[in-house]
Amino acid sequence: MQDILNNTALMITLTTTIIALFAVGYIALIFGANRKIIDEQQKTIEEIKRSEQRYKALFENSLAGMMKFNFSSWVIVDTNQAMLDKFNANSIYDLQKKFTELPREMLRPIEISLTKTGMIDSHEITFSLETGIIRRFFFSARREGSEQLAHAVVVLMNSEKKIG
Amino acid sequence: MQAPILLYVAEASCFLPAGAGLFQWKKLNSPLKILTLFFCFSVLHVIAEETLRRMSINNLFLQNIHQVVEVESFLYFFWTWSKQRILKDGIQYAAMIYLVVWTLNKVYFEQPEQFNESMSTIANFFLIVVSIFVLLELSKTATVSLLSHTIFWIGSGTILYFSGTIIIFSLSNTILQIGFLYFDIFWHFNWSLVIIVNLMFARSFWCKIF
């Protein structure tokens, strides 16, 4: 009789231990899986950051003028130093002001082409500096996604002094 | 008979989650406030049980009342947290089924002077299954460490306690028949789990994410 009781107690102990161990194991498994996901996310974030830094350097150090802008309002979202230098602007706001002061007929084809085809290639724009120098540029841009945003690249064609 | 020290420690540990919840009360959302109220109810239950034990009055009927509040509180908490339609429905059905079964059991079958083994088994089973699915959903959706999620501590505590005690609770009367020595040993295991789980529940109130 005592053996049966002992065996019953042993069975209860064993099953309780096994179930409790399963519970601990399950929690550990869930915890481990989450750690793995977080580690992978961390790696992806670091890779994105590195990639962003590489492209940021390419953007910043480019000799061609680059800017991201809204082609219907001509609000400039981002630009590089080469772009500011080309238009003799001190800041992004100064550059934006200079673009809005350009003749409407010069910018209109850019807006139409970006709206219809999503890109414009080597459109010529002329800009006069305060010093009297006239600069001519090739303006190329491509629309970004469904927003009215576009990425533009501006290359200097020539500079000439206005005579008279 | 002198009660074991571990019993007092286990009883004292019940104050931890209730105290933690009340301490953080202003920062808590509605489900956590309800859980805090349940922990406060548990404290009252422990005090009542201890008082009756000292007066040598059978206190097992209190356990049956506490159990239904416990199951419904945890199921409500998990229900508010879950975003999966199927899991939400499952929890809702589990809560309703348990309430109906508990009521029927209370009216027709309950013997207040004995452990209610069948209801304990059903309660433990429901809470284990729901916790498993809740933790599974959490592991799929969490984007930061699980340690900063309240639901991880509550879910882990629930799965740990109810898994560890399901056999003991479902065979309580049998264990008592085997001998008080065995009952004492198994109940020490139960009290140890109570202490661990109450620490986990108390910790959950300091998490940044619900």
Side-chain angles (χ1 to χ4, degrees):
Chain A
M1 185 63 186
Q2 192 57 41
D3 279 353
I4 296 167
L5 294 178
N6 284 341
N7 286 341
T8 313
L10 189 68
M11 283 305 291
I12 295 169
T13 312
L14 270 176
T15 43
T16 299
T17 310
I18 289 167
I19 295 171
L21 282 176
F22 264 111
V24 173
Y26 181 74
I27 295 165
L29 194 76
I30 293 285
F31 191 74
N34 175 258
R35 282 299 288 261
K36 211 173 168 183
I37 291 168
I38 289 170
D39 286 348
E40 277 170 15
Q41 278 175 342
Q42 200 61 40
K43 274 182 192 166
T44 312
I45 290 167
E46 277 167 18
E47 185 55 43
I48 290 167
K49 273 185 186 167
R50 274 200 295 273
S51 171
E52 191 188 344
Q53 279 168 355
R54 277 201 301 272
Y55 283 100
K56 189 78 181 164
L58 204 66
F59 180 77
E60 296 285 350
N61 301 326
S62 169
L63 290 176
M66 291 182 181
M67 69 172 186
K68 190 175 177 179
F69 70 108
N70 183 308
F71 56 82
S72 60
S73 63
W74 285 90
V75 169
I76 298 169
V77 180
D78 200 6
T79 188
N80 66 354
Q81 192 55 45
M83 188 75 172
L84 295 175
D85 293 343
K86 281 179 174 49
F87 284 85
N88 214 17
N90 303 320
S91 64
I92 195 166
Y93 304 105
D94 193 20
L95 181 68
Q96 193 173 299
K97 191 167 167 273
K98 287 183 179 191
F99 261 96
T100 48
E101 282 168 358
L102 286 175
R104 190 85 189 113
E105 61 272 16
M106 201 185 283
L107 301 179
R108 187 74 186 140
I110 297 172
E111 292 172 29
I112 293 169
S113 182
L114 284 172
T115 309
K116 282 184 179 171
T117 65
M119 66 173 293
I120 185 158
D121 192 22
S122 304
H123 175 71
E124 193 181 318
I125 56 170
T126 311
F127 178 74
S128 304
L129 297 180
E130 290 86 350
T131 51
I133 292 172
I134 296 171
R135 284 181 174 170
R136 287 215 295 274
F137 300 100
F138 275 140
F139 187 101
S140 304
R142 186 188 289 275
R143 191 174 172 160
E144 284 181 3
S146 56
E147 299 288 317
Q148 289 192 310
L149 287 173
H151 191 105
V153 177
V154 177
V155 182
L156 184 66
M157 268 167 69
N158 61 23
S159 282
E160 56 192 41
K161 180 86 179 169
K162 199 177 180 180
I163 301 164
Chain B
M1 201 185 99
Q2 184 66 38
I5 294 168
L6 202 62
L7 165 68
Y8 294 117
V9 181
E11 284 179 345
S13 74
C14 290
F15 286 81
L16 290 174
L22 291 174
F23 184 76
Q24 297 280 72
W25 184 261
K26 282 184 182 172
K27 295 177 190 171
L28 304 181
N29 57 12
S30 305
L32 274 171
K33 280 182 178 171
I34 287 174
L35 202 67
T36 304
L37 291 177
F38 161 69
F39 289 133
C40 292
F41 172 75
S42 292
V43 169
L44 293 177
H45 164 250
V46 163
I47 293 168
E49 258 190 352
E50 183 60 28
T51 311
L52 292 180
R53 190 185 66 79
R54 280 168 187 267
M55 293 162 75
S56 301
I57 299 170
N58 192 320
N59 58 15
L60 286 176
F61 71 96
L62 286 175
Q63 202 182 30
N64 293 333
I65 298 165
H66 179 260
Q67 197 174 63
V68 69
V69 182
E70 182 178 58
V71 173
E72 296 300 324
S73 301
F74 276 109
L75 288 181
Y76 171 76
F77 182 77
F78 291 139
W79 180 81
T80 52
W81 178 84
S82 178
K83 284 164 192 74
Q84 271 183 9
R85 186 85 217 142
I86 191 159
L87 184 57
K88 263 182 128 58
D89 287 349
I91 295 171
Q92 224 168 340
Y93 287 129
M96 283 191 292
I97 291 167
Y98 182 80
L99 205 59
V100 171
V101 174
W102 183 86
T103 312
L104 290 174
N105 184 273
K106 184 88 186 155
V107 175
Y108 297 109
F109 307 108
E110 192 187 90
Q111 290 174 300
E113 71 285 352
Q114 282 196 347
F115 284 103
N116 199 335
E117 292 176 341
S118 54
M119 286 315 297
S120 293
T121 312
I122 296 169
N124 282 32
F125 178 76
F126 277 169
L127 287 173
I128 291 166
V129 172
V130 170
S131 310
I132 285 174
F133 284 107
V134 163
L135 285 184
L136 197 66
E137 186 184 335
L138 176 69
S139 75
K140 284 177 185 169
T141 54
T143 50
V144 292
S145 172
L146 291 183
L147 299 178
S148 45
H149 288 263
T150 302
I151 197 76
F152 173 73
W153 293 98
I154 302 285
S156 303
T158 310
I159 200 169
L160 190 67
Y161 179 72
F162 292 99
S163 305
T165 55
I166 189 165
I167 301 291
I168 300 171
F169 282 170
S170 58
L171 295 170
S172 305
N173 294 321
T174 315
I175 295 168
L176 255 180
Q177 281 169 4
I178 294 173
F180 191 78
L181 178 69
Y182 287 111
F183 185 83
D184 195 44
I185 292 167
F186 287 125
W187 241 247
H188 269 79
F189 183 69
N190 172 37
W191 295 324
S192 306
L193 278 179
V194 167
I195 296 163
I196 295 167
V197 163
N198 277 331
L199 286 170
M200 290 172 82
F201 289 160
R203 169 65 179 80
S204 74
F205 288 101
W206 271 271
C207 290
K208 289 174 189 161
I209 307 162
F210 174 52

